[in-house]
Amino acid sequence: MASNYDYDDAAATQPPSDQLGYDPNFVPDSVKTFVVHLYRHIREKNVYEIHQMYETSFQTLSDRLFKDTPWPSVEAVAHYVDNDHVFCLLYREMWFRHLFARLSPTLQQRVDSWDNYCSLFQVVLHGVVNMQLPNQWLWDMVDEFVYQFQSFCQYRAKMKNKTTEEIDLLRQYDQAWNVYGVLNYLQALMEKSMIIQILEQEKEGLEQFTATDGYDYSGGSNVLKVLGYFSMVGLLRVHCLLGDYQTGLKCLRPIDISQQGVYTSVIGSHITTIYHYGFANLMMRRYVDAIREFNKILLYIFKTKQYHQKSPQYEQILKKNEQMYALLAICLSLCPQVKVVDETVNSQLREKYGEKMPRMQRCDDDAFVIYDELFSYACPKFITPSAPSFDEPLVNYNQDAYRLQLKLFLYEVKQQQLLSGVRTFLKVYSTISLGKLSSYMEVDETALRTILMTYKHKSHAVDVDGKIISNADVDFFVDDDIIRVVESKPAKRYGDYFLRQIVKLESMINDMDGIKLE
């Protein structure tokens, strides 16, 4: 999960590389060995070795030799790899990713990274690519591409303290990280790879894309197909950053997230997919879908996070985990559906938000403040994709998109809170007359009918297939002047509880067996 790190915040304190005695042409012996071996493994399509070098050796060398400086320039290492054009593009892609992670990139470097991605994707789209690369690397390419676009939009929107030189460069490179360019590349990778057709054929048993994790064991290349696959997740993320949730979910539709898929083969891809899927559904009032997927991924992280402790993505996994608990708390406060949530996740949720969630269900300013706080903490870093006006007084507008999405969300919360009184009464009664309920709620019958219709509207949403689905745990219908309540009864699940107790008992027995009695 290369991207979505708070690079800009973390790197702002780093001194520029030219102050650190950095020589871009000096290539340590360990780096020569690294590039020579990586080049050979790529030529031999040795995916296992490429993955080891990419995931472990690159990180080790970065920590040891390039903590505060970039890697040697591509020009300095090119002759060790026969000046291979594609390898040099891949090396520069890693070079820029390391720069964004450890240092503060200049505007020129942001533009150069854009040019490198353009060249790399052009080769993949229009050249002959005869490589097999690890899914982790291919995911990181798409993920970092979207991250750097997001980072550039945030950087460009902070106009207040820009120098004249920076403004001139922004005018000159007005096409760099253009939103249409970013969307076009992701769309082109998706279309050229024929990934949608491949996934359709797989359902009919004619393809083995998911079964082979996207790799091509017949000697072909996995690069275009897997980049096309991950581009669907990239498109979901970009559209979420732009606040277009419906289009984002439409882009992800070919991937069946109710099943294991290639997106689950890389932990960063898995988390990013579900985080943005869940967030988009939350913003479209499809709370049950959001709750169901947040529950599954949070349970998965709970069970597997210890295996990722040494991973460079570990901190990011933990951060996204916390953000998704905050989003789950929001969903469950707006749409109480605890029966969908596993007991393990529910226990963690109570630990984190057990005190806040009851307050969120009240109709007061305190609840509003908590919704604001959790949304601000857990939402994506929204962007304004349009270029700034260079003629007006220079102002920062990097928070504008976030403020708009927050305003829309809080407006929805306010509407939901107005209806919480109705739900409280519906939970108590199985039948109640309109007259009686209107007197309890201190409104006339005409106003009550309007409130009930609004409750119906707000507790239903339109799913991806255009069908109307209910989010309510309490439903009702009006028969003449009588309200008849239909409450869904949660099915009691004893299996999970007993399995957890059996595991605890076995653990205690093992501990007792290990004790040596005097």
Side-chain angles (χ1 to χ4, degrees):
M1 206 183 322
S3 71
N4 228 15
Y5 286 96
D6 290 328
Y7 290 141
D8 297 330
D9 304 332
T13 56
Q14 297 283 4
S17 56
D18 57 356
Q19 292 177 15
L20 297 165
Y22 167 65
D23 179 2
N25 297 314
F26 174 67
V27 184
D29 289 342
S30 50
V31 174
K32 288 180 198 169
T33 307
F34 174 81
V35 294
V36 167
H37 281 79
L38 183 60
Y39 176 56
R40 192 182 79 225
H41 292 317
I42 288 174
R43 284 177 67 92
E44 292 171 355
K45 295 186 181 177
N46 190 333
V47 178
Y48 176 78
E49 289 295 341
I50 297 168
H51 187 268
Q52 291 302 310
M53 295 197 72
Y54 173 79
E55 189 75 343
T56 308
S57 308
F58 185 74
Q59 293 300 329
T60 305
L61 286 171
S62 295
D63 290 338
R64 204 172 80 224
L65 300 174
F66 307 109
K67 244 186 173 135
D68 305 314
T69 59
W71 272 60
S73 68
V74 69
E75 292 78 16
V77 302
H79 63 280
Y80 298 115
V81 294
D82 304 331
N83 291 298
D84 186 280
H85 178 57
V86 176
F87 182 87
C88 287
L89 291 173
L90 291 171
Y91 177 85
R92 273 172 69 84
E93 194 271 333
M94 294 165 69
W95 189 95
F96 280 115
R97 182 136 34 89
H98 170 265
L99 178 82
F100 271 76
R102 306 287 177 116
L103 298 152
S104 195
T106 64
L107 174 53
Q108 186 61 56
Q109 286 167 332
R110 291 174 188 273
V111 172
D112 291 345
S113 183
W114 163 253
D115 289 341
N116 191 69
Y117 273 117
C118 291
S119 301
L120 182 57
F121 291 155
Q122 288 287 353
V123 168
V124 173
L125 287 166
H126 305 297
V128 178
V129 178
N130 189 25
M131 296 184 294
Q132 289 258 46
L133 293 181
N135 285 347
Q136 178 72 57
W137 193 348
L138 295 169
W139 161 250
D140 286 345
M141 273 184 211
V142 173
D143 193 41
E144 184 72 11
F145 180 64
V146 176
Y147 165 72
Q148 289 189 22
F149 164 62
Q150 173 193 322
S151 175
F152 182 83
C153 290
Q154 294 282 354
Y155 162 85
R156 185 177 58 185
K158 296 176 186 173
M159 291 297 293
K160 207 168 185 179
N161 298 317
K162 290 278 186 284
T163 63
T164 311
E165 184 184 358
E166 283 178 307
I167 291 169
D168 289 342
L169 275 172
L170 281 172
R171 287 178 191 269
Q172 184 183 339
Y173 297 119
D174 60 336
Q175 291 305 304
W177 295 109
N178 177 290
V179 63
Y180 296 114
V182 170
L183 290 170
N184 284 343
Y185 271 119
L186 293 172
Q187 191 73 29
L189 287 166
M190 188 181 79
E191 289 174 4
K192 186 75 186 282
S193 66
M194 306 281 287
I195 189 63
I196 295 174
Q197 293 87 330
I198 289 170
L199 292 174
E200 283 297 323
Q201 288 177 329
E202 188 168 50
K203 289 176 188 172
E204 298 165 20
L206 303 173
E207 281 280 356
Q208 291 284 302
F209 181 78
T210 304
T212 60
D213 270 345
Y215 293 109
D216 191 321
Y217 293 110
S218 58
S221 170
N222 70 327
V223 173
L224 178 58
K225 281 190 291 188
V226 177
L227 279 177
Y229 181 90
F230 286 138
S231 288
M232 291 189 280
V233 181
L235 285 165
L236 165 67
R237 186 172 159 199
V238 172
H239 286 299
C240 279
L241 293 174
L242 298 171
D244 185 356
Y245 308 108
Q246 189 156 0
T247 304
L249 291 172
K250 193 176 171 185
C251 292
L252 192 70
R253 224 176 145 190
I255 299 175
D256 182 359
I257 63 163
S258 68
Q259 305 289 328
Q260 291 283 309
V262 175
Y263 79 98
T264 61
S265 67
V266 178
I267 182 75
S269 157
H270 193 177
I271 291 173
T272 297
T273 303
I274 302 303
Y275 167 79
H276 288 94
Y277 174 87
F279 186 82
N281 276 297
L282 161 61
M283 294 300 279
M284 295 185 72
R285 298 207 327 271
R286 297 173 187 164
Y287 302 116
V288 177
D289 284 346
I291 291 166
R292 191 176 289 115
E293 292 307 322
F294 282 143
N295 171 64
K296 284 198 299 196
I297 190 72
L298 289 168
L299 188 61
Y300 174 77
I301 294 170
F302 180 81
K303 289 176 177 175
T304 61
K305 67 182 176 186
Q306 68 268 28
Y307 304 120
H308 298 283
Q309 284 180 345
K310 293 183 180 178
S311 163
Q313 291 99 28
Y314 186 63
E315 281 184 24
Q316 188 61 17
I317 292 169
L318 295 184
K319 180 183 174 183
K320 275 282 168 275
N321 185 60
E322 293 303 311
Q323 286 181 310
M324 287 190 286
Y325 269 112
L327 293 175
L328 182 59
I330 289 173
C331 290
L332 287 170
S333 299
L334 292 171
C335 172
Q337 288 276 8
V338 183
K339 65 182 181 186
V340 182
V341 181
D342 185 272
E343 181 53 40
T344 306
V345 174
N346 209 15
S347 169
Q348 294 278 310
L349 188 66
R350 282 197 302 270
E351 202 176 292
K352 296 173 193 295
Y353 297 109
E355 178 262 331
K356 286 185 176 178
M357 285 178 69
R359 288 159 58 197
M360 289 164 77
Q361 289 174 15
R362 296 181 202 146
C363 308
D364 56 21
D365 291 340
D366 181 40
F368 217 55
V369 168
I370 299 171
Y371 277 112
D372 186 328
E373 173 199 324
L374 294 190
F375 182 87
S376 301
Y377 167 69
C379 70
K381 286 190 172 180
F382 300 108
I383 55 172
T384 304
S386 56
S389 169
F390 299 109
D391 301 323
E392 296 172 18
L394 299 177
V395 293
N396 290 348
Y397 64 97
N398 55 304
Q399 292 291 312
D400 288 4
Y402 152 72
R403 287 195 195 102
L404 174 61
Q405 295 301 319
L406 176 64
K407 181 182 173 184
L408 292 169
F409 169 72
L410 292 178
Y411 180 66
E412 180 63 38
V413 169
K414 198 148 224 166
Q415 290 182 317
Q416 296 273 2
Q417 286 179 328
L418 292 171
L419 302 170
S420 62
V422 181
R423 186 178 171 278
T424 305
F425 285 112
L426 294 178
K427 289 284 282 184
V428 175
Y429 291 92
S430 56
T431 57
I432 185 172
S433 69
L434 282 170
K436 196 172 180 181
L437 184 55
S438 64
S439 66
Y440 284 159
M441 294 188 65
E442 299 175 354
V443 295
D444 60 46
E445 283 194 31
T446 307
L448 178 61
R449 284 182 182 274
T450 305
I451 291 169
L452 291 172
M453 289 296 290
T454 308
Y455 180 86
K456 275 280 188 187
H457 168 65
K458 288 295 180 185
S459 62
H460 286 73
V462 181
D463 71 5
V464 287
D465 297 315
K467 295 174 186 168
I468 295 173
I469 52 168
S470 172
N471 285 315
D473 58 338
V474 180
D475 207 352
F476 68 91
F477 60 93
V478 180
D479 182 10
D480 288 332
D481 287 337
I482 302 294
I483 302 167
R484 301 193 184 278
V485 179
V486 184
E487 184 171 0
S488 56
K489 297 283 183 189
K492 291 186 177 179
R493 294 179 295 179
Y494 300 108
D496 287 350
Y497 174 80
F498 283 115
L499 283 169
R500 277 195 301 277
Q501 300 310 315
I502 291 165
V503 170
K504 279 184 185 175
L505 178 62
E506 286 178 345
S507 176
M508 287 172 67
I509 291 169
N510 289 336
D511 290 344
M512 289 166 69
D513 286 344
I515 297 170
K516 292 182 180 176
L517 299 172
E518 293 294 333

